[in-house]
Amino acid sequence: MKLVRYGAEGAEKPGMMVGDTLHDLSGVVDDIAGDVLSDAGLARLRALAPSDLPVVAGNPRLGPCVGSIGKMLCIGLNYSDHAAEAGMPIPEHPILFMKATSAIVGPNDDVMIPRGSTNTDWEVELGVVIGTRAKHVSAAQALDHVAGYCIVNDVSERHYQTGLTGQWTKGKSCDTFGPTGPWLVTRDAVPDPQALDMWLDVNGERRQTGSTATMIFTVAQIIEHLSGLMTLHPGDVISTGTPPGVGMGMKPHPVYLQAGDVMELGIAGLGKQRQALVQED
């Protein structure tokens, strides 16, 4: 099942994709959020007959596929080959940083290069959406707490991330730095989150090619670790790291995004995103 949120920014409605057809769910649920993400909530939606749901005409904007995201938790250096290109050692435990929820935008919204930035970079990542409260869960039980999966572009400003005093969050939380979607693919439709191919292009040129099979810490291990530190709530999103090919790691010198560039990215079974780069005034 593919769940979406569509419409103007801040006024998105819930929807369901059936094939290439978007159906409206606003007569059934208020949003793709909260209890709707529980096993019972998703079972209710799964039981609906698409023919009974209104068809949404045209090609509306898609918003972030999850509403009312409480926190976006991000895992750094979670692919061994990406750690190598960054010149960083393999972490012993998942590296955690936060991305401000104000950074989250739709999958095809413009991405804004911050004023004065010269080091804005791309990162295709698997997003994990929590469906039921998780606290001190084991890796064996972890995926039972997942509502589904989506694409996240963990856009990063590298100078802000590493050159300004503080934590990575500074370079990860600029406005528009969290495109999320296009849709939430429910857990039952993703048999193995560790077997998903992923890619990212800049201006039609392939930059990243990878697979979740090469994660250092699996989705289940990440949830086990994080739920031992804090309670994970329905609608929380975990962005699980990126494969190699980011601009920071390009040889012989880094290559960063500029206004007018276009990013396209995708993960097998989870759709794709497209963002144009614009300069902040």
Side-chain angles (χ1 to χ4, degrees):
M1 186 165 57
K2 297 178 180 178
L3 301 176
V4 304
R5 300 172 69 249
Y6 70 94
E9 182 178 359
E12 292 92 349
K13 296 180 179 180
M16 176 191 296
M17 293 297 302
V18 181
D20 294 328
T21 303
L22 173 58
H23 294 267
D24 178 52
L25 287 174
S26 59
V28 182
V29 294
D30 292 333
D31 201 355
I32 307 300
D35 290 344
V36 173
L37 299 170
S38 68
D39 287 349
L42 294 176
R44 179 188 177 205
L45 297 183
R46 198 173 290 113
L48 298 171
S51 58
D52 293 337
L53 300 172
V55 172
V56 179
N59 187 28
R61 169 189 174 270
L62 296 181
C65 58
V66 184
S68 302
I69 295 173
K71 51 187 176 285
M72 181 170 272
L73 303 163
C74 303
I75 307 301
L77 302 177
N78 196 31
Y79 289 72
S80 57
D81 34 14
H82 173 53
E85 74 174 351
M88 303 287 283
I90 300 298
E92 295 183 17
H93 308 282
I95 294 174
L96 173 65
F97 61 90
M98 307 287 281
K99 187 181 284 283
T101 55
S102 56
I104 299 170
V105 292
N108 303 313
D109 290 345
D110 289 345
V111 167
M112 184 168 56
I113 297 176
R115 187 181 302 175
S117 166
T118 58
N119 294 4
T120 298
D121 204 348
W122 56 84
E123 294 190 12
V124 58
E125 304 201 0
L126 173 66
V128 180
V129 181
I130 298 299
T132 56
R133 181 183 180 276
K135 180 66 172 177
H136 295 303
V137 301
S138 68
Q141 299 170 323
L143 297 188
D144 294 340
H145 294 267
V146 172
Y149 303 91
C150 64
I151 303 169
V152 174
N153 189 353
D154 177 21
V155 184
S156 308
E157 211 297 338
R158 300 303 187 186
H159 175 64
Y160 297 179
Q161 178 183 350
T162 61
L164 301 183
T165 302
Q167 299 178 337
W168 288 7
T169 299
K170 286 186 178 181
K172 301 288 190 171
S173 293
C174 302
D175 293 346
T176 74
F177 270 24
T180 301
W183 36 69
L184 166 65
V185 179
T186 51
R187 182 178 82 233
D188 59 301
V190 183
D192 185 359
Q194 305 306 146
L196 302 175
D197 292 334
M198 54 208 307
W199 57 272
L200 182 144
D201 294 347
V202 178
N203 299 329
E205 182 176 346
R206 185 59 44 95
R207 298 296 195 189
Q208 289 186 273
T209 303
S211 169
T212 58
T214 64
M215 282 184 181
I216 297 167
F217 302 103
T218 66
V219 171
Q221 289 169 332
I222 290 168
I223 293 173
E224 178 182 51
H225 182 73
L226 295 182
S227 73
L229 302 173
M230 67 191 78
T231 302
L232 303 178
H233 294 283
D236 286 349
V237 176
I238 305 169
S239 197
T240 56
T242 199
V246 299
M248 177 180 64
M250 294 190 69
K251 308 299 182 187
H253 51 77
V255 175
Y256 294 115
L257 295 163
Q258 301 179 39
D261 288 345
V262 173
M263 294 181 286
E264 295 179 281
L265 54 150
I267 298 178
L270 303 185
K272 65 180 182 178
Q273 301 182 353
R274 182 185 188 278
Q275 297 108 29
L277 277 295
V278 298
Q279 181 65 53
E280 183 181 20
D281 295 335

